Amino acid sequence: MDSIDDVLAEADRAWRAYGVGAADRAVLAADLRLDLQAAAADGVGPRQLLGGDVAGFARRLAVEAGVRRVRRDYVRVLQTALTGAALGAALAYTVLIRMYPVLVNMIDISRSVQVPIQVAVTVFYGVPALVVVAGAVLAVRLRLRDLPRIQRTGWMMSLLMPVAGILVTPVTMAFAWSTDYSTAPPVVLTEVAMVLAALAGATLLARHWSLRDRRKPSGASSPTAPEIAPA
């Protein structure tokens, strides 16, 4: 026999899937717990009171309470971010290819001066990486302005995507080394897939974190859950 906590956990999963925010979920769960405890005092179990479909009951309860659903739109955010990243990568590659000879001709460095390889690698790869991140963030913030908390999502992306890039770089380099730095299409596609997977993970995590409620629910502005009639 399921306990009250088991039923509430199942209801909470249904509310999450339905897009109910943390504050509203807490209010609904508190009201539902009181009803379940009152029913248990009368000898009526949680499943007996709610019926077999706890998830369906939880969604109906949220609808009747009039809670505000949060539009997550993970797929839409991910598609927009990757499109922006691809455009940023194309722009960075074009600028790098066109400007590289110009920069070499403009900067006359004495051969007695040696630039550390770490600095050269950071500049050569870091600047295009920043353009890729900027493209993804701008695409999300400009194209998805209708989504709730999209500005916070963009801000989180600007923090997480560089971290993802830093973490995936040694993995990609190790894979390239293992293939003797092959330029065969399967190898290159695998390296690209690694980078895209890292950027996609950072984007989804940024969206998830941006939707988390910062404050605990307050009784003044909380929705009122409808009363439950015993089955």
Side-chain angles (χ1 to χ4, degrees):
M1 181 177 179
D2 293 328
S3 66
I4 291 178
D5 288 336
D6 292 335
V7 172
L8 287 175
E10 186 174 347
D12 186 73
R13 289 193 293 270
W15 288 326
R16 286 176 180 270
Y18 189 61
V20 180
D24 290 337
R25 290 200 312 270
V27 175
L28 291 172
D31 290 336
L32 182 55
R33 179 181 291 276
L34 292 176
D35 291 324
L36 293 176
Q37 289 173 342
D42 294 333
V44 180
R47 294 282 180 181
Q48 196 175 352
L49 179 67
L50 305 183
D53 186 9
V54 175
F57 176 86
R59 287 192 294 270
R60 290 194 301 271
L61 194 64
V63 172
E64 294 173 11
V67 298
R68 180 177 177 271
R69 295 176 61 188
V70 177
R71 292 175 57 193
R72 290 178 169 82
D73 286 318
Y74 286 117
V75 174
R76 188 180 172 196
V77 172
L78 181 58
Q79 290 175 341
T80 304
L82 292 182
T83 300
L87 293 176
L91 175 63
Y93 178 79
T94 301
V95 172
L96 195 63
I97 292 299
R98 291 184 177 275
M99 293 300 297
Y100 182 75
V102 177
L103 293 175
V104 171
N105 292 331
M106 289 179 59
I107 302 175
D108 184 17
I109 301 178
S110 172
R111 294 189 178 275
S112 62
V113 178
Q114 293 186 352
V115 178
I117 186 63
Q118 294 85 352
V119 175
V121 170
T122 300
V123 173
F124 192 79
Y125 290 102
V127 173
L130 290 177
V131 176
V132 170
V133 172
V137 173
L138 287 176
V140 167
R141 296 189 64 169
L142 295 178
R143 296 287 298 174
L144 303 179
R145 285 176 288 185
D146 59 308
L147 295 185
R149 304 184 186 180
I150 199 62
Q151 300 299 322
R152 196 196 306 182
T153 300
W155 182 78
M156 293 298 299
M157 286 172 58
S158 66
L159 295 178
L160 293 177
M161 292 186 81
V163 174
I166 293 173
L167 294 178
V168 78
T169 296
V171 177
T172 307
M173 292 178 65
F175 176 77
W177 175 81
S178 69
T179 62
D180 197 22
Y181 300 99
S182 171
T183 57
V187 175
V188 175
L189 289 177
T190 301
E191 294 171 353
V192 172
M194 290 179 179
V195 176
L196 290 179
L199 295 180
T203 300
L204 294 176
L205 185 59
R207 183 59 179 164
H208 174 71
W209 281 358
S210 69
L211 294 175
R212 295 174 61 183
D213 291 329
R214 297 177 177 178
R215 295 179 295 180
K216 298 294 182 180
S218 58
S221 59
S222 299
T224 301
E227 294 183 358
I228 302 173

